[in-house]
Amino acid sequence: MRSSAKPPSATLPAKPRRRAARAPAPKPYHHGDLRRVLIDAALQLVGEGGSDAVSVREAARRAGVSPGAPFRHFPSRDALMNAVAEEAQRRFRAEIEALLAEAPANNPLGRFRCLGLAYLRWAMKNPTHFEIISSRRFFDHDKAAGVSQDNAELIDLTERTLAEAFAQGQLRPADLKQVQIAGRALVYGFARMNIDGHFPRWGVAGADAERTAEGILDLFIEGIAKVPSKSA
Amino acid sequence: MRSSAKPPSATLPAKPRRRAARAPAPKPYHHGDLRRVLIDAALQLVGEGGSDAVSVREAARRAGVSPGAPFRHFPSRDALMNAVAEEAQRRFRAEIEALLAEAPANNPLGRFRCLGLAYLRWAMKNPTHFEIISSRRFFDHDKAAGVSQDNAELIDLTERTLAEAFAQGQLRPADLKQVQIAGRALVYGFARMNIDGHFPRWGVAGADAERTAEGILDLFIEGIAKVPSKSA
DNA sequence: AATCCGTGTAATCGATGCTTACATTCACAA
DNA sequence: TTGTGAATGTAAGCATCGATTACACGGATT
């Protein structure tokens, strides 16, 4: 945030005070788990106004803590964003794999499609969270290894799935690596078009979005599948 | 900029002085064309460090002008960014159309491919400029009509080209609208993957990028073309 | 030549990220 | 049980940023 559009944090949890002895210590000097709370607050801010809407001070405010406190847990705003990205990526991966678990095991191309669809659905449903896990502006690759690893494993998963599909003769001959990159570019691009507000210009309204997502995914898969009129 | 990584503006372009009457007035009170200079400075800042690296103050600094001066020309930082986006979009469109002019007129699908390639090349070459014309964070759609119009006309162009290709029987039967959106998602996604730093993870180095771009474009076109081994 | 208004300056405000010095409390050891 | 050090939060302050306001300059119109 560039200082312009930052609301004055309307809602504080009515921070109580006093502590010590044995009274129902309402305001302990040490916050229970500030790190966790800060990540949640930041995650919420992301959900409200995108990654730009995250400020350390506002997160501290929502946690009911002084502006300097977060720096005990995160050396910089970027570090906080890294942690946020890590959390978002964890959720992303969890949902993808959950959906994949329901897909039939004996149809690799179908599973490939399922992966793409799960990817698109999550991205459409959580655009702001998707944004921060996709832009490498956060988490420096070196730090935040969790994100990279989760992501890398997801990529490996699709790669294996695609290779299986090819091995079972479901694909036309092609450079599998390029197919994989093209597929990624397709779903990533679609998700990004949503985030970046391209859809209105393309006549894709909110309700159509998911249907369109499915449509372009099937179009792509038809393009790489062996029999042009089979897998859709 | 969030105050952290802002260099102290090492290089001032020896701010141009003089104008008016004929005496060597070294520092004219009125800048010649501050608006233009500010846009150029901002454009340069974008090229150096992305859209986040643009601050009104730094642009003013490079223009050799006081921090408040830019607000005579742009009511807000966003307004400045709008103008920058407009300029970038203009250049983008100009180059696309220039490249398209060299494509054979009688092969719509080839022209469609040329459009995609030109799009990808420009995006790879000017990633930071591409970023600001693609994110709707800048130019409010209502304002900055120039960007929207340039973009809309480019979209119309590809739509017409695709329709021609279909009319000439170069495509397999398909929902043209979805083909167009898929194509856009593909190239946009690829360009965005570059911007967002996804390529290292995908084993796409700088030199490979353009070749890979061509590869996935051809893959896509093969997928929608009538004879699977014709248009590439 | 006198005036007006577009354009730049100076000063200031509130917000932000981040740092430093200090205060408090928890946890572990004697 | 008691002491002490490390962890964690507070207070205060710096620099930068976007944005506003009052003022100064000067080119163009009349």
Side-chain angles (χ1 to χ4, degrees):
Chain A
M1 174 110 338
R2 252 190 170 86
S3 88
S4 31
K6 175 138 297 285
S9 163
T11 43
L12 287 203
K15 55 177 131 173
R17 48 222 50 195
R18 193 90 0 104
R19 154 220 33 162
R22 60 213 51 199
K27 174 76 188 235
Y29 185 90
H30 284 77
H31 194 289
D33 185 1
L34 184 55
R35 184 187 160 86
R36 174 87 246 149
V37 171
L38 286 172
I39 293 178
D40 287 344
L43 215 40
Q44 190 180 346
L45 285 170
V46 168
E48 290 173 13
S51 48
D52 282 354
V54 179
S55 81
V56 176
R57 288 180 118 95
E58 178 62 20
R61 226 168 276 139
R62 298 201 176 189
V65 103
S66 79
F71 291 91
R72 289 289 175 196
H73 300 269
F74 305 99
S76 70
R77 176 184 183 274
D78 279 355
L80 171 59
M81 295 304 288
N82 286 3
V84 171
E86 217 160 337
E87 175 62 23
Q89 173 78 31
R90 188 183 340 277
R91 297 183 187 178
F92 179 51
R93 179 184 180 188
E95 184 156 329
I96 295 253
E97 294 185 336
L99 283 189
L100 184 63
E102 301 175 6
N106 57 344
N107 178 4
L109 191 52
R111 290 173 70 81
F112 183 74
R113 179 180 184 279
C114 173
L115 277 170
L117 208 52
Y119 184 102
L120 285 172
R121 284 206 178 120
W122 195 87
M124 308 294 288
K125 212 180 209 171
N126 315 318
T128 50
H129 290 172
F130 182 84
E131 182 184 10
I132 80 168
I133 68 177
S134 49
S135 169
R136 287 313 170 272
R137 206 183 339 176
F138 317 110
F139 60 90
D140 314 351
H141 279 283
D142 313 321
K143 296 284 189 180
V147 177
S148 292
Q149 184 179 337
D150 271 347
N151 195 8
E153 289 178 13
L154 235 48
I155 290 176
D156 284 351
L157 180 58
T158 72
E159 185 172 6
R160 272 180 278 131
T161 307
L162 196 64
E164 281 180 45
F166 183 77
Q168 295 197 13
Q170 294 185 293
L171 300 185
R172 300 198 338 234
D175 180 339
L176 281 196
K177 177 133 198 169
Q178 282 198 343
V179 172
Q180 202 195 352
I181 294 181
R184 175 62 153 222
L186 185 81
V187 293
Y188 184 60
F190 193 80
R192 263 271 163 207
M193 285 176 72
N194 180 35
I195 292 174
D196 295 335
H198 293 199
F199 278 176
R201 190 194 315 273
W202 290 83
V204 178
D208 296 334
E210 182 142 346
R211 192 151 31 83
T212 305
E214 207 166 331
I216 66 162
L217 185 58
D218 286 332
L219 182 71
F220 177 75
I221 289 184
E222 275 184 41
I224 61 172
K226 191 146 217 171
V227 182
S229 58
K230 173 191 171 186
S231 81
Chain B
M1 176 104 340
R2 253 186 171 88
S3 88
S4 30
K6 174 136 298 281
S9 165
T11 44
L12 288 201
K15 49 184 132 169
R17 47 217 53 187
R18 188 113 346 119
R19 170 211 28 143
R22 60 211 55 204
K27 173 77 187 229
Y29 188 89
H30 285 77
H31 193 289
D33 185 0
L34 183 55
R35 184 188 159 87
R36 175 87 245 150
V37 172
L38 285 172
I39 293 179
D40 287 344
L43 215 40
Q44 189 179 345
L45 284 171
V46 168
E48 290 172 14
S51 49
D52 282 354
V54 179
S55 81
V56 177
R57 288 179 116 94
E58 178 63 20
R61 228 169 274 136
R62 299 199 175 190
V65 104
S66 79
F71 291 90
R72 290 288 177 200
H73 299 268
F74 305 98
S76 70
R77 175 184 183 274
D78 279 354
L80 171 59
M81 294 305 288
N82 286 2
V84 170
E86 217 160 336
E87 175 62 24
Q89 172 79 33
R90 188 185 339 278
R91 297 183 187 180
F92 180 52
R93 180 185 179 186
E95 183 156 330
I96 295 253
E97 294 185 336
L99 284 188
L100 184 63
E102 301 175 5
N106 57 344
N107 178 4
L109 190 53
R111 290 173 72 79
F112 182 74
R113 179 180 184 278
C114 173
L115 277 170
L117 208 51
Y119 185 102
L120 285 172
R121 284 206 177 121
W122 195 87
M124 308 294 288
K125 212 180 208 172
N126 316 331
T128 50
H129 289 171
F130 183 84
E131 183 183 10
I132 81 166
I133 68 177
S134 49
S135 169
R136 287 312 169 274
R137 204 183 339 173
F138 318 110
F139 60 91
D140 313 353
H141 279 283
D142 312 321
K143 297 284 189 178
V147 177
S148 293
Q149 184 179 336
D150 271 347
N151 195 9
E153 289 179 11
L154 273 176
I155 291 177
D156 283 352
L157 180 58
T158 72
E159 185 172 5
R160 273 180 277 129
T161 307
L162 196 65
E164 281 180 45
F166 183 77
Q168 294 197 13
Q170 294 184 294
L171 300 185
R172 301 198 338 234
D175 181 338
L176 281 196
K177 177 134 196 168
Q178 282 198 342
V179 171
Q180 202 195 352
I181 293 181
R184 175 63 154 223
L186 185 80
V187 293
Y188 184 60
F190 193 80
R192 262 271 163 205
M193 285 176 71
N194 179 37
I195 291 175
D196 295 336
H198 293 199
F199 279 175
R201 190 194 314 275
W202 289 82
V204 178
D208 296 336
E210 181 142 346
R211 193 150 32 82
T212 306
E214 206 166 333
I216 65 163
L217 186 58
D218 286 332
L219 183 73
F220 177 76
I221 290 185
E222 276 184 39
I224 63 173
K226 191 148 218 171
V227 182
S229 56
K230 174 190 170 186
S231 82

